[in-house]
Amino acid sequence: MNPHFLFNGINSVYHLIGKNNELAKDTLLQFSGLLRYQLYESNTHILLEKELSYLLKYIKIEETRRGSDILLNYDIKSDNSKMKIAPLLLIPFIENAFKHCSNHMDSNMNTINIKIEEVEGKLILNVTNSYDQLINKNVVGGIGLANVKKRLSLLYPDAHQLKINKEKPDYIVDLLINL
């Protein structure tokens, strides 16, 4: 988990205390769930529903943190609760969407759309976020995408397709994994 996310998440909970105690409690509970998942779910493969639950908690914390600064849409579902996946494989794509989402004055221009579904043994992930073209022009990428590409190659050789495109004004990730 990105250390900046940890600090920002704790800071968000701190600012919610006294303003909206129920939301602060719920956010803190989800936050502890994320940490627990990272500590204890490190098997080679876990139930897909656990991974999707982890992603939902992360998204809800980011949604609380970013508030009305972004337009967020997400749809996450699975047909088969017995399917398994390598843990923490999808989170870098979601983290990057929030990290690199545009920061326009008009929040309607700051969009993140996340769709994840499992259908007949195939996991389909689509993450689209708006980005600031000038701000991100000279940004050198981190190691997150390189690591997840290596993990996909090792864990799902010849069983995945990853496409990453920058199409003004959106950054688009499409991933298909044969589970």
Side-chain angles (χ1 to χ4, degrees):
M1 189 178 296
N2 185 323
H4 293 286
F5 172 74
L6 289 172
F7 292 123
N8 289 336
I10 291 168
N11 195 36
S12 293
V13 171
Y14 173 79
H15 287 288
L16 285 171
I17 295 171
K19 292 179 185 175
N20 188 336
N21 287 337
E22 287 305 311
L23 184 56
K25 288 178 184 179
D26 185 51
T27 303
L28 192 57
L29 185 63
Q30 290 185 35
F31 203 69
S32 70
L34 291 179
L35 295 173
R36 189 175 299 108
Y37 182 83
Q38 286 195 340
L39 286 173
Y40 300 114
E41 298 297 336
S42 58
N43 298 334
T44 55
H45 285 78
I46 57 158
L47 290 175
L48 178 61
E49 67 183 19
K50 283 187 175 184
E51 181 76 1
L52 297 181
S53 175
Y54 170 80
L55 294 174
L56 278 170
K57 287 175 185 162
Y58 179 88
I59 291 168
K60 288 180 189 271
I61 289 172
E62 284 287 10
E63 184 177 27
T64 299
R65 192 175 75 78
R66 296 291 301 264
S68 61
D69 291 342
I70 60 170
L71 281 178
L72 172 64
N73 294 302
Y74 54 94
D75 182 20
I76 299 176
K77 58 187 170 201
S78 174
D79 288 344
N80 185 344
S81 62
K82 303 287 186 212
M83 296 303 295
K84 291 191 171 191
I85 190 168
L88 305 170
L89 190 61
L90 307 176
I91 191 67
F93 302 115
I94 310 286
E95 284 179 336
N96 281 347
F98 284 99
K99 180 179 178 183
H100 298 292
C101 186
S102 59
N103 198 21
H104 299 289
M105 294 295 284
D106 179 0
S107 61
N108 291 326
M109 296 177 67
N110 305 320
T111 60
I112 298 176
N113 295 299
I114 301 166
K115 183 171 184 175
I116 305 171
E117 62 182 329
E118 179 275 320
V119 178
E120 297 179 2
K122 296 181 191 304
L123 180 99
I124 303 161
L125 172 135
N126 174 268
V127 180
T128 304
N129 65 278
S130 58
Y131 68 96
D132 292 321
Q133 295 163 14
L134 295 176
I135 293 172
N136 290 319
K137 186 177 182 181
N138 296 319
V139 173
V140 177
I143 60 170
L145 283 180
N147 283 345
V148 78
K149 286 177 183 179
K150 286 179 188 175
R151 285 187 71 208
L152 282 165
S153 294
L154 291 170
L155 296 168
Y156 298 97
D158 301 320
H160 77 279
Q161 296 173 0
L162 175 63
K163 295 178 189 169
I164 300 174
N165 294 307
K166 254 182 159 175
E167 297 175 10
K168 293 181 185 178
D170 294 322
Y171 191 87
I172 305 162
V173 175
D174 288 303
L175 174 64
L176 174 99
I177 303 174
N178 292 317
L179 301 172

